[in-house]
Amino acid sequence: MGFKLLFSGLAITLAFVAFVPYVRSILKGRTRPHVFSWFIWGITTVIVFLAQLEADGGMGAWPIGISGVLTVAVAVLAFIKRADISITRTDWTFFAAALASLPFWYLTSDPLWTVVLLTVVDLFGFGPTIRKAYESPHQESQLFFLSLALRNGFAILALESYSVTTVLFPLSITLACSVLLTIVAYRRRMVFA
């Protein structure tokens, strides 16, 4: 139990380590997050947190819950600061799917299928940010997405119960952050080449 608490604490610390400089960067106008990606990620992360709690994820779910709240705060800040607000029809589809997950969970009474649906939606939520990162690689923070990947790794280690319901989301987000980091690093080299 002691290691689980340590890993959960490390994951929560990494969430703040990631979000505090990211928020500062938004406030200074250096980072312009895609508003819809962040709203989608916020909604899905909070709902997955609730599903992880139901599936006995315990203290391993705490970093996901805290990150969900912080993610919604970034979405609100991005909207207020008028960051990237280009919204496509596909963005609306993903947003609707994220909202539809709650009735889906209620109807199935099974958090697994909700987590599967939300993980897919969350991964699709990376679409606008990946598109933006490809076009403007200097407007995304590599440290932020690296911190999120590490945070999710520690959150997985902190889980009190391992199942598809508790592991799928943080593992998928770790992989998505890694892909985004690779794209940003590649495009930054190409822009200067």
Side-chain angles (χ1 to χ4, degrees):
M1 189 65 93
F3 280 114
K4 300 289 184 183
L5 184 60
L6 173 68
F7 291 138
S8 183
L10 285 171
I12 290 168
T13 300
L14 279 170
F16 283 103
V17 165
F19 277 94
V20 168
Y22 196 75
V23 166
R24 283 187 189 142
S25 182
I26 294 168
L27 292 171
K28 291 179 181 178
R30 286 191 305 246
T31 300
R32 297 184 65 232
H34 191 280
V35 173
F36 239 53
S37 282
W38 284 90
F39 271 118
I40 291 168
W41 292 334
I43 291 167
T44 57
T45 303
V46 168
I47 296 170
V48 166
F49 161 68
L50 297 172
Q52 285 182 325
L53 286 179
E54 186 174 314
D56 299 323
M59 65 184 77
W62 300 347
I64 303 301
I66 289 169
S67 293
V69 171
L70 293 171
T71 302
V72 170
V74 167
V76 170
L77 181 60
F79 180 76
I80 291 169
K81 294 296 285 183
R82 290 299 200 208
D84 187 348
I85 57 172
S86 59
I87 300 171
T88 66
R89 190 173 302 173
T90 305
D91 296 343
W92 278 109
T93 302
F94 296 138
F95 185 69
L99 292 178
S101 66
L102 284 174
F104 185 74
W105 183 0
Y106 178 77
L107 293 172
T108 64
S109 299
D110 185 356
L112 169 63
W113 295 110
T114 299
V115 169
V116 169
L117 173 66
L118 289 174
T119 300
V120 169
V121 168
D122 210 70
L123 291 174
F124 280 127
F126 270 84
T129 296
I130 287 173
R131 174 179 45 84
K132 185 181 144 309
Y134 185 85
E135 294 169 1
S136 304
H138 295 286
Q139 290 183 0
E140 287 300 337
S141 167
Q142 289 176 301
L143 179 61
F144 177 78
F145 286 102
L146 176 62
S147 297
L148 287 185
L150 293 172
R151 178 217 56 203
N152 282 318
F154 284 122
I156 291 168
L157 292 172
L159 289 167
E160 294 178 35
S161 172
Y162 292 97
S163 66
V164 175
T165 303
T166 60
V167 175
L168 179 64
F169 183 81
L171 180 61
S172 298
I173 301 311
T174 298
L175 295 173
C177 286
S178 299
V179 167
L180 184 66
L181 283 167
T182 302
I183 290 169
V184 168
Y186 172 76
R187 289 294 294 158
R188 283 183 179 184
R189 279 197 317 269
M190 295 307 293
V191 169
F192 287 119

